[in-house]
Every structure is written in structure tokens, then in C-alpha cells.
Amino acid sequence: MIKKEYIHFFTRKYLLFLLPVLIFVLISGYMTFKNSGGNDESMYSHFSEYVDFYENREELQAQYDYYLQLYKSQEAVSDDDIAIGNNKDMLYKRVSILKFCLDNNLQFDQVIDGANVFTNGKYTTFNYLYSYTIAFVVFAISACILLGSCYQTADTYKKTSIFVYTTGEKRNKIIDRKFLVSLSMLVGFSLIYYILVALFGLQFLKYSPKHLLYFLGEKLFDINYFEFFLIVLSSQTIMLVLTYTFIYYFAVAVKNPIIGLCTMFLLFAVSVFMTSILNKDICALKDFLQAGYIMLFNAEVYEIKYCLYFIPLIVAVIAMIVISKVVSKKADYSR
Amino acid sequence: MTHIKILNLKKYYGKKLVLDIDSLDLEKGQSYGFFGANGSGKSTLLKCMTNLVDYKGEIQIENQNLKKNPSILKDIGLIIENPVFYNEMTGRKNIEYFCDDTALLEEYADIMGIKDILDKKYRSYSLGMRQKLGILLACVKGKKAVILDEPFNGLDIISVEKAIKLINHCHNKGLTIILTSHQLDISQKAVDNIYLMKNCRIHKFVLPKNKAGDKILFEFANKGDADKAENFLICQKIKYEREDDMLRVFSQGKYTFYEIIDLLKPFEFIKAEDITFSIKELYLEMEKSL
């Protein structure tokens, strides 16, 4: 049956609506990468806001000593200092990164920090992958809403459900199989997209720093391009699975593709609107919902506590699965 | 041997009771027709039998509780109301999608006369073709029973005959046939046992122990011909009833249908119909009495 379901998946015509979204995503990713801030010169250099230019190890050592002294003196706490990134927190990060460069004997252009990937435009492999990843979120959410709302409920809507649910299989088994097939197609497509983007990103390998440095709390992480790709992939996939699961089982519970579509579009629209006028915590939640925890590495919100947003999301998804199973058991699939 | 057993079945839509059956046994290999007015609960009964709706009470198929073991529906073919398939697939692909064993597809499609359209996209099918495909699926999938809700909707006379032929073919192979219909006179050709549904309940409909040709309806083109035929029947001492230009002739077992027709041939009737088992008339009589 699962093979039949996979073949049948491609007969869904409404999937064609996703084609313009994908084209938009590709153009948007290209524009984000191409036109983001900075001049041509800085696009290929100065990958860390925390490291001033140095030519040799002595200059790096001098820089490190200066900022370490400043950090220890605890004098830099004024508003002006905060504005130029010399507050206590910033100084800690600056010192940590400089120490990392010293310990690993790295050149000026061999490290990039999170802020330069997530907020500033640079022509690096990391920026390329990140630009197209963020653009892909639009496609991922659209696909989740469209497929999740329509994949199972289209049968109920058109009344093909009479044949679908009288084959002798348990209802929930049929619903779960449809879920797994549609989810695997969605995840499979995302996987192909990310692999292709990651491969295309390699064209900037020559100009790119090899070390991406970012903080989670006070801990400094050093990751290479492949590890960055895995983080992007895993975070996006986790969010995709959770979002799709919630929407799919919500639609199963309400039994109507139009209600499912409208509710979910409304939910996402309201979340985007609300977060644009509310505080930082809510912004982090919006970013989290939209893009997974990769967005939490964003310079403004890189705090691990935001990963706790996973907990209510997982609880909501599980609750929706349980509700839909109870509802579908008693549902009338003939009208 | 009981194939389908219904016990204390109750179905509500909201607070309205639409089905109330204390007990009903449907024997294996028999054919059953459920008739009744609109909203009498015919379709709801079949929806309960196929687990499409939730209900109170118990339905057993081959001694297994349907709610607990929906897998017993695997060998039951069905159409409920107007069958709807996937537009993007051909008729054949649709049947293969809903039915694992399609060994009988070609043979049955031939009987139904839709072999040549099987490979066309379902979207291009007319209403009648869609109905025929539904009947075909039900018969191909049904290894033990076929459940048909209003199977003759939208079919022309020839297609109805073909559908009845296919249903009877399945019945002769030992399958249990259950159908509902508004077209009583057509449907009676496909079933042996008839139930009437009224006020949420079912009533066994017993056919009179007459022989074919015992009651024939003749219609004449004008009053003169009807008068002459009437005089002839009086002379021959054959019982009849007169209504305008129509005569209901009761052969009382003395003549066959064709012998009566031969006798009245000189009087130029325009229509002769054997109404011995006219379920329409019997149904109306019975409904009045319930």
C-alpha cells in the first residue's frame, strides 16, 4: 500500500502551487546573498566584528593583550562602550575569539563569527548556505500548510474517503501512512535542496574562512562548513517535521482542507505581525518557529534558553496527534 | 449461515434517531434489497455496515465485531451514494489503487461493457460511466459480499441490464448481495429478499406466492379497443379490472404471460406488462399498512 501511496502522491495537482513559491525562494535567496550590506571589498574579507586587522602573530598577541586588559579592568560599561561593542559581554567574546586565533595560529581571514553569517553579507560558503536556507523557510512553511491541510482532507472533501476508509485497514493506520508518505516526500525534497545549495556554496570555498565561531552562552564553538551544513539541515528538518505534523493532524481533526489552510495561514500571519511589534523574547520565538534553532545563533538572540521553545511545541504536536486520533475514530467519512 | 448480523443498532444524527434495528440476520450467499422513501435510513444502514459512520449497537460480519476488526471489510466491495474516484488517474489505476486483487477486472469490465474506457482518465467519465466504474470496483473487490447503495443511479436501460447481469453473476458465485434503491421494479431483478424501511425501522417484505403472468397490465390506444377486449375477457371468463383504457388481467394460473398476449393480440393494445411482482404496487400497498 505504501508504494501505491507514493505513486499516488504525484497525482496531487495542487502541488503545482508550490512551484512559483520555489522560484520565489531561489530568487529571494540569490538577492539576499548578492545584495546584503557591505562594499565589495569587505564582502571578501573582515569576517569577524571582534577581530581587528592583523598581519602577524605579534599584532594578534598585542590585540589580545589589550582587550584582555580592558576586560579585566571592568571599566567598559558605559552606553558609548556598549554602542561600539565594548561592554563586558562583548569584550568576553572578543577575548575568547582572539585567544582561539592565537591558540590555533590562524590568519586574520580564517575565522568568521556568527554575526557575519547571520546578519552581514559576505561572500563565503557559510553566508551562501545561510541565505538560501532562510529563503527556503518560506517554501517549507507554504508546503507544510498546503500539503498538511490538503493531503488527507482532500479525500474527505471529495468523498473518495468512502473507498479509502473501507479497504479493511484501520482508519488511523491509513491516516498515519498518508502522513508518513507526505512527510517523507517533504523532508526528501528539503534534503535534496540543502545538499544542492551546500554544493553550490562550495564555489566560494577559495575566499571563505574555514572556522565559523559562535557562542552558546559563554562557550565558544568552532565549526567547519560540513558541520554548519549538518546543523542547518538538522534544525530545519526538526522544525519541518514538527510544523508539518501539527498542521497535518490539525487538518485531520477538523476534516476540512479549507479550514485547515485558513487557520494555519492566519496563525503564521498573526505570529509574524505580533512579533514585529513585541519584544525580543517573542522575536526569538518567531524566529524559532520560522527557521528552527539555527536562527537562535543570530547575534541578537544567541541564547540557549530559547531552545526551550521546543518543549511547548512538542507538547502541542503530541496533543494534536492525540486529539486527531480520537476525532478520526468517530468521524463520518461518508459526508 | 449468517454472514452479517445486526444487533440493537441505533444511529443518531445529532439528536435525531435515523436508524433503529433490534435484530437482523443476513444469510451468506443470499441477496437483499432495502427499499424505502428518502431519508428512511437505507444509506445510513449501509454506512454502518461498512464502518463509515459511528453507531450504537453491534454489527458482526462472519462472527467478528466490525468495529473491533475492520479488516473484515477487505473482501467486501461497495459503493455508497455516488462513487467518487481520483480524477488524475485512469479507471483502471483507480481500481488497482483501491483493490489489491484485480484478477476479475477484465472479465467484469467486459460484462459491464466498459472495457474500452478503463484506460481513460476518470475526469473524462460521464456520470453514468462513473457509476459503472463504481459497480465494477465493488464487484471486483467483493470476494465475499457486495454492498451497493443506489447502484442504478444515472444509468441508461442497457447499462442497468448489464449491471444487474454482473450483480447476478456475483450472486451466482456465492457472494452476499446487499443493495438499496429507489428503482424498485428494476432492483427486484437483482435480489431475492426485500426489506422495507420506514420510520427508522426495517420490515420484511414477503412476495405473494404467485406465478409469473398472473397479473398483466394492458394499455389500449382508445376506448373502443379496450371495450372489445373487455367483452372478450367476459366471454372467456377471465378475471380483470378496468381503469380507463387499461385492463389488469388476472390469469389465475390458467394462462402464461405469452398466452394472454396472444389472446388479446386482435385488440391492438399498445403496452403489455407483467405486474405480478410489481414491487411498486406491492410496496405502496405495504407502506400504507405500516
Side-chain angles (χ1 to χ4, degrees), chain A residues 300-335:
Chain A
E300 289 177 35
V301 287
Y302 44 49
E303 287 188 44
I304 200 155
K305 70 175 183 183
Y306 293 122
C307 286
L308 294 175
Y309 286 136
F310 263 122
I311 296 168
L313 187 64
I314 290 170
V315 171
V317 168
I318 293 170
M320 192 46 75
I321 293 173
V322 173
I323 291 166
S324 78
K325 291 211 178 287
V326 173
V327 171
S328 65
K329 234 177 180 178
K330 292 190 177 288
D332 178 352
Y333 281 128
S334 67
R335 43 165 78 188

Side-chain angles (χ1 to χ4, degrees), chain B residues 190-217:
Chain B
V191 293
D192 300 327
N193 303 282
I194 295 169
Y195 284 91
L196 243 174
M197 301 196 67
K198 194 177 181 186
N199 301 330
C200 318
R201 295 184 158 270
I202 58 165
H203 309 272
K204 176 91 174 156
F205 192 101
V206 183
L207 287 170
K209 288 176 183 170
N210 292 352
K211 287 195 291 185
D214 275 3
K215 192 175 176 185
I216 302 165
L217 181 74

Side-chain angles (χ1 to χ4, degrees), chain B residues 23-278:
Chain B
S23 174
L24 178 67
D25 286 358
L26 304 179
E27 299 293 318
K28 197 175 177 75
Q30 294 290 308
S31 56
Y32 297 88
F34 291 88
F35 302 100
N38 291 334
S40 60
K42 304 184 297 294
S43 296
T44 305
L45 174 63
L46 298 198
K47 285 176 188 175
C48 291
M49 281 185 192
T50 50
N51 215 20
L52 276 167
V53 293
D54 195 31
Y55 54 84
K56 286 180 180 171
E58 191 174 337
I59 296 177
Q60 293 176 3
I61 300 179
E62 294 184 331
N63 296 322
Q64 292 190 69
N65 188 314
L66 178 62
K67 270 188 190 171
K68 288 178 186 165
N69 298 296
S71 62
I72 46 183
L73 286 174
K74 195 170 182 279
D75 294 325
I76 294 177
L78 60 103
I79 51 169
I80 304 288
E81 292 164 355
N82 298 320
V84 182
F85 292 88
Y86 292 116
N87 276 326
E88 298 80 9
M89 299 202 284
T90 63
R92 185 187 301 280
K93 290 278 175 203
N94 264 300
I95 288 182
E96 285 169 355
Y97 181 77
F98 291 115
C99 179
D100 291 332
D101 180 5
T102 55
L104 296 167
L105 178 61
E106 296 299 323
E107 181 194 341
Y108 286 5
D110 204 25
I111 296 174
M112 275 303 287
I114 56 168
K115 213 171 175 180
D116 54 330
I117 58 155
L118 271 184
D119 292 311
K120 287 183 180 169
K121 285 265 167 78
Y122 179 71
R123 112 161 48 82
S124 67
Y125 283 26
S126 67
L127 183 69
M129 283 151 83
R130 289 173 183 211
Q131 193 72 15
K132 284 188 246 180
L133 190 72
I135 296 170
L136 181 63
L137 170 66
C139 293
V140 170
K141 182 171 174 262
K143 300 286 179 285
K144 291 178 179 170
V146 177
I147 295 176
L148 304 160
D149 183 21
E150 303 287 355
F152 310 119
N153 274 1
L155 296 188
D156 58 72
I157 301 165
I158 296 166
S159 301
V160 166
E161 289 302 322
K162 285 177 179 172
I164 289 172
K165 192 179 169 190
L166 182 59
I167 293 166
N168 286 334
H169 180 76
C170 292
H171 184 208
N172 293 338
K173 287 174 90 175
L175 270 66
T176 308
I177 308 288
I178 298 164
L179 68 82
T180 70
S181 181
H182 290 108
Q183 292 151 295
L184 304 171
D185 38 354
I186 295 171
S187 305
Q188 66 166 328
K189 294 177 185 173
V191 293
D192 300 327
N193 303 282
I194 295 169
Y195 284 91
L196 243 174
M197 301 196 67
K198 194 177 181 186
N199 301 330
C200 318
R201 295 184 158 270
I202 58 165
H203 309 272
K204 176 91 174 156
F205 192 101
V206 183
L207 287 170
K209 288 176 183 170
N210 292 352
K211 287 195 291 185
D214 275 3
K215 192 175 176 185
I216 302 165
L217 181 74
F218 286 92
E219 193 178 333
F220 296 88
N222 54 58
K223 194 173 173 291
D225 287 336
D227 290 342
K228 286 177 198 164
E230 189 177 4
N231 290 335
F232 175 77
L233 290 172
I234 293 166
C235 293
Q236 295 292 318
K237 294 182 180 170
I238 297 173
K239 276 184 78 177
Y240 68 94
E241 281 173 3
R242 173 90 188 253
E243 193 177 315
D244 300 326
D245 295 340
M246 286 191 291
L247 287 171
R248 267 192 206 87
V249 181
F250 304 96
S251 69
Q252 295 174 298
K254 289 178 194 165
Y255 306 98
T256 65
F257 175 69
Y258 294 103
E259 283 168 347
I260 292 275
I261 285 178
D262 276 345
L263 287 172
L264 294 182
K265 222 178 219 172
F267 308 106
E268 294 185 8
F269 55 83
I270 54 172
K271 183 183 165 190
E273 186 189 351
D274 184 352
I275 56 166
T276 313
F277 298 109
S278 170

Side-chain angles (χ1 to χ4, degrees), chain A residues 242-271:
Chain A
L242 289 175
T243 311
Y244 184 72
T245 308
F246 184 84
I247 296 173
Y248 179 87
Y249 282 102
F250 175 81
V252 169
V254 298
K255 262 183 71 185
N256 188 317
I258 294 163
I259 295 176
L261 275 171
C262 295
T263 310
M264 288 305 152
F265 268 118
L266 204 66
L267 202 68
F268 277 95
V270 167
S271 78

